[in-house]
Amino acid sequence: MSPTVSHKDNSRQRRPGAFNHSLDMKSGPLPPGGWEDRPQEVAGGEGDKEALLVRDAGPGEPPRPPRGCRAELSSILLLLFLYVLQGIPLGLAGSVPLILQSKNVSYTDQAFFSLVFWPFSLKLLWAPLVDAVYLRSFGRRKSWLVPTQYTLGLFMIYLSGQVERLLGGAGAGAGAGAGGRGPDPDPDPDPDVTALTVTFFLFEFLAATQDIAVDGWALTMLSRENVGYASTCNSVGQTAGYFLGNVLFLALESADFCNKYLRFEPQPRGIVTLSDFLFFWGAVFLITTTLVALLKKENKEVSVGKEETQGITDTYKLLFAIIKMPAVLTFCLLILTAKIGFSAADAVTGLKLVEEGVPKEHLALLAVPMVPLQIILPLIISKYTAGPQPLNIFYKAMPYRLLFGLEYALLVWWTPRVEHQGGFPIYYYIIVLLSYALHQVTLYSMYVSIMAFNAKVSDPLIGGTYMTLLNTVSNLGGNWPSTVALWLVDPLTVKECVGASNQNCRTPDAVELCKKLGGSCVTALDGYYVESIICVFIGFAWWFFLGPKLKKLQDIGPSSWKCKRSN
């Protein structure tokens, strides 16, 4: 149920778990008949069919024997490591909202910071450039991978010296101060959310660009017999990187966790700080990128069939032509609104639990036992989405996922009532974990069915571009409601000034005046509960009125989904 895992529903971007801000379209095993089984044309034209061109025997030459995975083990391990590096920025960005929540920032600020998770859902906008513009002498993929990772490494090292100031104070995980020293004379300043958002947005933009380059290199780095391992490296590597940058970091950054489980004598800070973590991984990025630049060569047998500028222009024209098709436009409008009903539960619930006193590192650790479930669920669900009606599973799972929005609201309401002596009993975490697991069943049911439908309708002649466009729209359909849901929490919350007559708490100035007059602002109605009910109501309205329209798209003939291309 960790909000740290919530960014996975839209981007794994994999934004993450039960309280998703975003699930990457590549985060789980693909349904049978998925896009990786089809002929593809992705951004950049003929050059993207590289995997089909690699190591083919020439005329008159005997066929080359298939290569086993052991023969290319070094390339597979390199791909895996590159995807692990990619997951580190994702995990770090996912941990910042929890740190901000522990510093009592407003939900309006949380909404603004949620924009950092958008680049992975928008990378289609600049993917054609990454694919087509490069230095031939250096390598098509290394031309982007190497400078991008160098920039990431330098950016992380620079950020390590600034992040504590941006977070407002002496450290994200520092305690209140050692006993006997008394209160600090100057309170920590508020976090600079604007600077943090701009910084991590650039951070995620670079990670998304690295993802484009690595995905393209995977097609030529491995032989045709082993290219299927690329998706495995992606899923396993990104998940491992996210775990390191999120779950492991939050645990080691927490003074309470380290003192309880890892130390003999308590200390006021965790074992690592965000600054330490950024500096370490920045150095890793720089060292490993240098080794890749010097030691790993790209396959020179691959030739590009089109001029770079022509490939860029054709790709953007193709994307525009696909979007204009009536069937695709209808699908996009429906899928962009389908996840409104889940936005409060996915985006806000985890932060509310932290606000109610649940340690953020405990929420993060709840993601660990979910990993086997997240691997198994797509395999099971894909058996039911492999037929001609994959969206039936989406439609059937939707009301159950909507009801979890009410269950989550009840869980948040119950949380402060079960807290005992500054902690929570084991049965509380069992209930949270069970709720999270059941929610994952509904989430993956909808996710796999959409992926199966996208694979089913994508034009095989332009499968890569087509599929990426549909997945991008699906990801955006989860991102924008989450941002709006976070932004609406504060306006929907009603607070009263207690202890000072004729005062209110409607504005920040009014809050300060209430405090100066000896009063305090008390929440009379939490906007999260209001929002949860509204979202569930909107979700059921969508399910009742628009859900059947989405299902009818399955009955449209294949010709309605094929794009007419002009030569």
Side-chain angles (χ1 to χ4, degrees), residues 62-344:
R64 302 187 183 187
R67 303 186 65 182
C69 64
R70 290 188 178 182
E72 297 185 307
L73 183 60
S74 61
S75 294
I76 292 174
L77 292 177
L78 175 59
L79 272 181
L80 180 65
F81 182 73
L82 291 175
Y83 281 119
V84 169
L85 291 182
Q86 185 185 121
I88 299 296
L90 293 172
L92 286 173
S95 68
V96 172
L98 298 179
I99 296 174
L100 292 176
Q101 192 68 10
S102 66
K103 292 177 174 288
N104 300 315
V105 303
S106 68
Y107 283 93
T108 303
D109 288 337
Q110 291 280 16
F112 187 63
F113 185 82
S114 70
L115 295 175
V116 305
F117 302 107
W118 285 52
F120 266 80
S121 295
L122 298 174
K123 63 184 180 181
L124 181 63
L125 297 178
W126 66 92
L129 294 173
V130 176
D131 191 77
V133 178
Y134 59 93
L135 296 174
R136 191 181 300 273
S137 58
F138 189 51
R140 185 179 187 184
R141 306 305 175 183
K142 287 169 63 176
S143 294
W144 286 91
L145 178 71
V146 171
T148 298
Q149 290 200 168
Y150 269 133
T151 306
L152 270 169
L154 293 172
F155 196 28
M156 293 172 84
I157 291 175
Y158 171 77
L159 187 59
S160 68
Q162 305 294 324
V163 69
E164 304 291 5
R165 177 183 60 82
L166 296 177
L167 285 170
R181 294 182 181 179
D184 293 333
D186 296 317
D188 288 340
D190 294 332
D192 190 344
V193 177
T194 301
L196 280 170
T197 302
V198 172
T199 299
F200 276 90
F201 186 90
L202 295 174
F203 204 29
E204 296 303 287
F205 174 81
L206 291 170
T209 304
Q210 188 252 22
D211 179 54
I212 298 168
V214 176
D215 285 349
W217 199 4
L219 296 176
T220 55
M221 187 183 297
L222 303 178
S223 64
R224 180 164 47 184
E225 294 83 5
N226 296 319
V227 74
Y229 286 101
S231 62
T232 303
C233 293
N234 183 303
S235 180
V236 175
Q238 263 196 9
T239 300
Y242 193 96
F243 179 88
L244 292 173
N246 189 294
V247 179
L248 182 64
F249 163 69
L250 287 172
L252 297 181
E253 181 260 357
S254 169
D256 291 338
F257 180 88
C258 294
N259 291 337
K260 186 174 182 179
Y261 299 105
L262 304 177
R263 286 179 174 143
F264 295 105
E265 295 184 5
Q267 300 290 332
R269 299 171 71 99
I271 292 177
V272 300
T273 64
L274 183 54
S275 178
D276 299 332
F277 203 79
L278 283 167
F279 186 88
F280 171 79
W281 283 107
V284 171
F285 265 83
L286 294 179
I287 294 171
T288 56
T289 303
T290 301
L291 294 176
V292 169
L294 296 176
L295 302 180
K296 184 63 178 179
K297 306 298 181 182
E298 288 196 42
N299 180 12
K300 299 299 184 181
E301 298 177 30
V302 177
S303 62
V304 180
K306 292 186 179 180
E307 292 297 325
E308 287 81 350
T309 54
Q310 183 181 358
I312 296 172
T313 304
D314 286 349
T315 300
Y316 284 121
K317 287 181 178 179
L318 179 60
L319 291 173
F320 186 65
I322 295 172
I323 293 174
K324 289 195 302 181
M325 296 164 56
V328 174
L329 185 60
T330 301
F331 171 80
C332 290
L333 293 175
L334 289 173
I335 210 64
L336 282 172
T337 55
K339 298 179 183 178
I340 295 176
F342 317 129
S343 56

